[in-house]
Amino acid sequence: MKVFRGLPNALARAPCALTIGNFDGVHIGHQALLARVRAAATELGLEAAVMTFEPHPREFFAQRAKDMSKAPPRIANLRDKMQSLSGAGIDRVIVEHFNAQFSALSPREFTEKVLVEGLHVKWLMVGDDFCYGARRAGDVAMLMAAGRQYGFHVETLPTVMNNSQRISSSAVRAALAAGDFFQAEQLLGHPYAISGHVIHGQKLGRTLGFPTLNLRVPHRPALAGVFIVQVHGLAEAPLAAVASLGVRPTVDDSGRVLLEVHLFDFAQSCYGKVVRVEFLEKLRDEEKYVDLPTLTEAIARDASAARAYFARRALTATDRI
């Protein structure tokens, strides 16, 4: 899969079947849309392409308004989004920098400069509530009219439902915020996880008796707290662990978000390796403690609860055998 930061240059602008969206989480509604794009591209002999945005448009406008409470928390980092799009068979991803200039494009300018001249779109699929251009002035009817004028076909995908619930990134965020990983998996089509490179931390966990591997989380995540997790990528089987995802209020006042994972019975060096942390159950919310001994006691309780969880799961698996 080819990834472009901004519109491809002239040599890379092969005609494409395109879809446009934020694709945060790439839930099963997104997956249905991507499957249709892949099928259309194959049928028409085109590249299957996705245009997505960084930052999220609502995040951009929240920054301009100096009110980040209006920005949606992220379900997935860019790495995980790209992996999901690649897994859906997409050939080309355009990560468009959403800024003041881009947000000011009129619907007509967007069609001409981005879709026609920039991407050579021949087939386009969007959701039935798709809006585009400055102040979201363009809608699906306008897009279909533009397609007839410029020679590209437009299809829409109706809302995908899970029983009576509309599948959306907002629904996934709500499930994650509530610690409902079963519901999140139903909406995503797979267990929820965060991946990334293991980085060096302050080594504080080691001094407290609970060494951790650390993953940087560049954007406000859709969940926070202390969790039972398992880690993929370090051994043949996933490794049992307990994790904290948040701003570490007891030891850090910078507001930086970090995912800290304490692996059970594993002592190898992990720095620089790419791991995937799969979330299984929420233990509690993040708290600020009065001192490090109190924090250490809380971590010990969390680790004990997580070990008990894995012991029960192992026992259940043995009973099934």
Side-chain angles (χ1 to χ4, degrees):
M1 186 178 77
K2 295 170 287 189
V3 179
F4 299 91
R5 288 282 188 165
L7 296 179
N9 60 39
L11 296 177
R13 293 177 188 167
C16 68
L18 177 74
T19 187
I20 305 169
N22 294 302
F23 293 98
D24 190 16
V26 191
H27 52 63
I28 59 176
H30 292 143
Q31 292 162 32
L33 187 152
L34 294 169
R36 177 64 186 120
V37 173
R38 178 65 268 170
T42 300
E43 180 182 346
L44 298 171
L46 303 170
E47 285 196 353
V50 167
M51 170 174 273
T52 190
F53 306 102
E54 187 63 40
H56 190 295
R58 285 169 56 194
E59 189 174 304
F60 167 76
F61 289 115
Q63 288 173 337
R64 291 188 72 178
K66 297 184 172 146
D67 183 3
M68 291 307 292
S69 66
K70 295 180 180 178
R74 298 283 187 103
I75 297 169
N77 57 36
L78 190 59
R79 167 191 291 277
D80 290 336
K81 182 194 290 190
M82 293 300 107
Q83 186 172 14
S84 295
L85 294 176
S86 177
I90 297 302
D91 300 308
R92 184 200 313 175
V93 178
I94 300 90
V95 183
E96 184 63 43
H97 181 47
F98 196 92
N99 55 20
Q101 181 179 359
F102 187 87
S103 68
L105 292 175
S106 69
R108 183 180 184 87
E109 289 171 326
F110 178 83
T111 300
E112 293 178 347
K113 295 180 179 180
V114 177
L115 299 183
V116 178
E117 298 172 11
L119 297 175
H120 294 205
V121 172
K122 299 300 180 184
W123 187 96
L124 177 63
M125 169 158 275
V126 294
D128 53 10
D129 58 351
F130 180 74
C131 294
Y132 66 104
R135 301 184 182 276
R136 297 171 58 85
D139 58 19
V140 171
M142 290 178 64
L143 194 59
M144 288 182 169
R148 290 189 292 270
Q149 178 181 354
Y150 291 100
F152 59 86
H153 176 71
V154 178
E155 285 190 18
T156 60
L157 183 75
T159 297
V160 178
M161 305 294 289
N162 178 37
N163 297 321
S164 60
Q165 182 182 21
R166 178 178 181 270
I167 296 175
S168 66
S169 295
S170 295
V172 178
R173 292 185 190 104
L176 293 175
D180 189 345
F181 295 112
F182 176 81
Q183 176 67 4
E185 182 173 350
Q186 296 300 300
L187 297 171
L188 291 168
H190 56 79
Y192 180 71
I194 295 175
S195 73
H197 284 95
V198 178
I199 62 172
H200 288 274
Q202 296 178 338
K203 310 293 192 296
L204 178 61
R206 185 178 304 172
T207 66
L208 299 178
F210 296 94
T212 61
L213 60 83
N214 305 303
L215 275 67
R216 188 173 69 91
V217 181
H219 302 282
R220 181 166 63 98
L223 68 171
V226 178
F227 304 90
I228 301 169
V229 302
Q230 56 185 9
V231 178
H232 303 259
L234 296 175
E236 290 187 6
L239 301 174
V242 63
S244 172
L245 175 57
V247 296
R248 307 183 303 157
T250 305
V251 298
D252 189 355
D253 59 2
S254 69
R256 183 179 66 139
V257 179
L258 196 67
L259 175 56
E260 298 178 292
V261 183
H262 172 60
L263 292 163
F264 299 140
D265 310 317
F266 186 84
Q268 298 178 24
S269 175
C270 306
Y271 295 119
K273 294 184 178 180
V274 176
V275 300
R276 179 165 57 89
V277 181
E278 178 187 341
F279 291 74
L280 303 175
E281 185 172 295
K282 184 172 183 176
L283 290 174
R284 61 178 176 86
D285 291 332
E286 190 174 39
E287 297 181 43
K288 182 173 183 177
Y289 295 98
V290 294
D291 52 31
L292 290 181
T294 308
L295 171 62
T296 304
E297 291 173 4
I299 295 173
R301 289 193 299 269
D302 297 332
S304 178
R307 285 184 180 275
Y309 170 93
F310 287 108
R312 290 193 302 271
R313 194 166 74 161
L315 184 60
T316 301
T318 301
D319 290 342
R320 287 175 181 168
I321 295 172

